[in-house]
Amino acid sequence: MIKLIVGLGNPGPEYEATRHNAGFWFVDEVARNLKVSLQPERGYFGNAARAATPHGPVWLLEPMTYMNLSGKAVAALARFFKIAPGEILVAHDELDLPPGQVKLKFGGSHAGHNGLRDVHAQLGSADYWRLRLGIGHPGVKAEVVHYVLRKPSPEHRVAIENGITQSLSALDLMLAGEMERAMMKLHAKPPRPKPPRPEGVSPPETPR
């Protein structure tokens, strides 16, 4: 089961609404869902809360170390409570997914994400869960730094928030450790809409 949910972002009002803080937005919603409030915890270098769930206690954490040192907070809390990497879910902004799309994955590389890079280094392992919150890509690598530190357009913000809402629908499965079922729920494509019936064409009669 998941015992620690981490959202990656940067502290301070100037970063609050930027794409790089999508992980914070997710943890804020999880906290509302679990009816807890994150509070500053100096020992864990971030804002944290402990929530009781039917599956056992879970910690929520938003590192206040700035993105590049996110692992310092994650490792401090995980080591104190003896939480294994495989019991950690890290929510973060993902350039390689369009705004609003979400993917759940286990392990793998940090793909150049500075927050994940430090979590890797501080935990000494890549074997933790990631919730990838799509924010889209500027299309040019040189623009990435400016892109993630800017606010998304209103349309993209709505799409990202919809992705977070979708992620919350699998929260209980993730907390229970049913990660395969959570992945199936999150990755399922919506049914294709039926094409509109041409005008003047009656629906086929139902056999009696």
Side-chain angles (χ1 to χ4, degrees), residues 17-19 22 25 94-95 97-101 133-139 147 150-164:
T18 63
R19 295 178 176 93
W25 304 346
E94 177 57 68
L95 288 160
L97 295 176
Q101 189 171 342
L133 304 168
I135 61 167
H137 195 288
Y147 179 80
R150 285 201 298 262
K151 296 178 182 179
S153 67
E155 294 82 2
H156 282 185
R157 176 71 193 236
V158 168
I160 294 167
E161 288 175 349
N162 288 342
I164 289 171

Side-chain angles (χ1 to χ4, degrees), residues 63-207:
M64 292 289 116
T65 52
Y66 289 97
M67 185 66 81
N68 293 7
L69 296 175
S70 298
K72 181 179 180 181
V74 179
L77 194 152
R79 285 175 186 147
F80 187 84
F81 291 102
K82 297 181 171 57
I83 298 172
E87 298 170 323
I88 298 173
L89 173 70
V90 177
H92 65 91
D93 57 305
E94 177 57 68
L95 288 160
D96 292 336
L97 295 176
Q101 189 171 342
V102 292
K103 294 284 187 183
L104 181 64
K105 68 172 288 191
F106 181 75
S109 77
H110 53 68
H113 191 291
N114 288 330
L116 294 180
R117 188 196 308 272
D118 198 58
V119 172
H120 274 45
Q122 296 287 344
L123 289 179
S125 173
D127 295 334
Y128 55 90
W129 289 92
R130 301 95 185 270
L131 183 66
R132 304 164 67 210
L133 304 168
I135 61 167
H137 195 288
V140 180
K141 188 175 181 181
E143 289 293 317
V144 163
V145 172
H146 298 294
Y147 179 80
V148 299
L149 293 178
R150 285 201 298 262
K151 296 178 182 179
S153 67
E155 294 82 2
H156 282 185
R157 176 71 193 236
V158 168
I160 294 167
E161 288 175 349
N162 288 342
I164 289 171
T165 300
Q166 181 191 355
S167 302
L168 291 174
S169 71
L171 177 62
D172 197 59
L173 290 171
M174 291 188 279
L175 291 175
E178 297 186 41
M179 305 307 278
E180 292 297 327
R181 288 182 62 196
M183 289 171 76
M184 289 174 63
K185 190 176 183 74
L186 286 178
H187 301 172
K189 293 182 179 178
R192 294 177 65 179
K194 294 180 180 178
R197 188 182 300 121
E199 287 186 22
V201 177
S202 300
E205 288 189 12
T206 305

